[in-house]
Amino acid sequence: MNLIVLFQIITGLALIFCIFVFAKKLQVFNQLTRPVDLAQPKGNIQKGLAYAYTLGMAPWSKESTRRHMLSYVRGVIFHVGIFTGLATLIVSPWIGNLPAIIKIGLAIISAVCALMGFIGFLARFVDPNLKALSTKDDYFAVLLVSLFIGVTGLWLIFPTLSALYYTISTVMLIYAPFSKIRHCIYFAYSRLFFGKFVGSRAVLPHSQQTAR
């Protein structure tokens, strides 16, 4: 067994650990008592759910994103980098079989997305509102994920960075369930509750004008 395979095994174990802890957190969450809505439903819950998971996430549907469009776009690009990085990590043992043009493309995407992450990290030092709201975990989680995306891009071009790549990946996977990164498993639930609420209240269509 060479050193790179050992790093891959350690990272694979970290991924299994991350999934296991997330699953346990979801199990506990699902056992919590849900608040009971005593109001009589007036609308269509299915339409509310469809809206929540589609147009309800559009930037014009929320005042906060309409007023901070650049931050919204930066966040979207950053999250694209996260998904790209995770997908790359999963197939990393076989990444050498990909054509060079694809690896270069993934590296460019990773570089751009990492830049957006680092900008978001620095913004927490500059923007008074973000600085007031940010915790130590906010700073570290954003920095760690940005490093993960950035190192992914570098590793795609310079395979000799495998040790660094798998080390950063392992640290992120172990840290994720205990940090703000865990919001990824609660996001779907938040949209579910929102969709059921607006659907049962018959407040759709939820346009930009009505949102104001």
Side-chain angles (χ1 to χ4, degrees), residues 130-148:
L130 279 177
K131 188 174 182 179
L133 293 171
S134 296
T135 64
K136 293 180 181 179
D137 176 50
D138 290 318
Y139 289 102
F140 186 71
V142 173
L143 178 61
L144 180 59
V145 175
S146 300
L147 284 173
F148 164 68

Side-chain angles (χ1 to χ4, degrees), residues 21-37:
V21 177
F22 273 145
K24 294 297 291 184
K25 287 182 177 294
L26 280 176
Q27 183 181 29
V28 172
F29 181 77
N30 285 325
Q31 292 173 347
L32 296 176
T33 302
R34 301 286 192 271
V36 179
D37 191 352

Side-chain angles (χ1 to χ4, degrees), residues 78-146:
F78 179 52
H79 282 79
V80 167
I82 296 173
F83 294 124
T84 301
L86 289 174
T88 301
L89 179 62
I90 292 172
V91 302
S92 61
W94 307 277
I95 203 75
N97 297 325
L98 291 180
I101 188 66
I102 294 180
K103 289 190 285 187
I104 293 173
L106 289 173
I108 293 173
I109 292 173
S110 298
V112 173
C113 296
L115 176 61
M116 297 299 104
F118 287 121
I119 290 174
F121 173 73
L122 294 176
R124 295 183 181 277
F125 292 93
V126 178
D127 187 296
N129 295 320
L130 279 177
K131 188 174 182 179
L133 293 171
S134 296
T135 64
K136 293 180 181 179
D137 176 50
D138 290 318
Y139 289 102
F140 186 71
V142 173
L143 178 61
L144 180 59
V145 175
S146 300

Side-chain angles (χ1 to χ4, degrees), residues 113 166 172 193 209:
C113 296
Y166 285 114
M172 186 199 67
F193 297 148
Q209 287 72 29

Side-chain angles (χ1 to χ4, degrees), residues 2-192:
N2 61 43
L3 188 60
I4 300 304
V5 173
L6 178 61
F7 273 108
Q8 290 174 342
I9 291 174
I10 294 173
T11 304
L13 292 174
L15 177 60
I16 293 172
F17 170 81
C18 180
I19 294 173
F20 174 77
V21 177
F22 273 145
K24 294 297 291 184
K25 287 182 177 294
L26 280 176
Q27 183 181 29
V28 172
F29 181 77
N30 285 325
Q31 292 173 347
L32 296 176
T33 302
R34 301 286 192 271
V36 179
D37 191 352
L38 301 177
Q40 185 68 29
K42 298 179 181 179
N44 187 309
I45 292 180
Q46 283 68 36
K47 289 183 178 180
L49 291 173
Y51 171 78
Y53 287 103
T54 54
L55 292 178
M57 294 188 289
W60 55 82
S61 297
K62 297 185 291 184
E63 182 180 10
S64 59
T65 52
R66 288 200 303 273
R67 294 186 175 185
H68 304 91
M69 188 62 69
L70 289 179
S71 295
Y72 175 86
V73 173
R74 176 177 55 77
V76 169
I77 296 174
F78 179 52
H79 282 79
V80 167
I82 296 173
F83 294 124
T84 301
L86 289 174
T88 301
L89 179 62
I90 292 172
V91 302
S92 61
W94 307 277
I95 203 75
N97 297 325
L98 291 180
I101 188 66
I102 294 180
K103 289 190 285 187
I104 293 173
L106 289 173
I108 293 173
I109 292 173
S110 298
V112 173
C113 296
L115 176 61
M116 297 299 104
F118 287 121
I119 290 174
F121 173 73
L122 294 176
R124 295 183 181 277
F125 292 93
V126 178
D127 187 296
N129 295 320
L130 279 177
K131 188 174 182 179
L133 293 171
S134 296
T135 64
K136 293 180 181 179
D137 176 50
D138 290 318
Y139 289 102
F140 186 71
V142 173
L143 178 61
L144 180 59
V145 175
S146 300
L147 284 173
F148 164 68
I149 300 171
V151 171
T152 297
L154 288 173
W155 171 74
L156 286 165
I157 302 299
F158 306 104
T160 54
L161 296 176
S162 292
L164 175 63
Y165 170 62
Y166 285 114
T167 299
I168 293 292
S169 300
T170 298
V171 173
M172 186 199 67
L173 290 171
I174 293 174
Y175 183 69
F178 309 103
S179 69
K180 68 171 293 180
I181 302 173
R182 66 180 181 270
H183 75 271
C184 63
I185 65 172
Y186 298 125
F187 174 76
Y189 280 94
S190 69
R191 304 312 297 175
L192 173 66

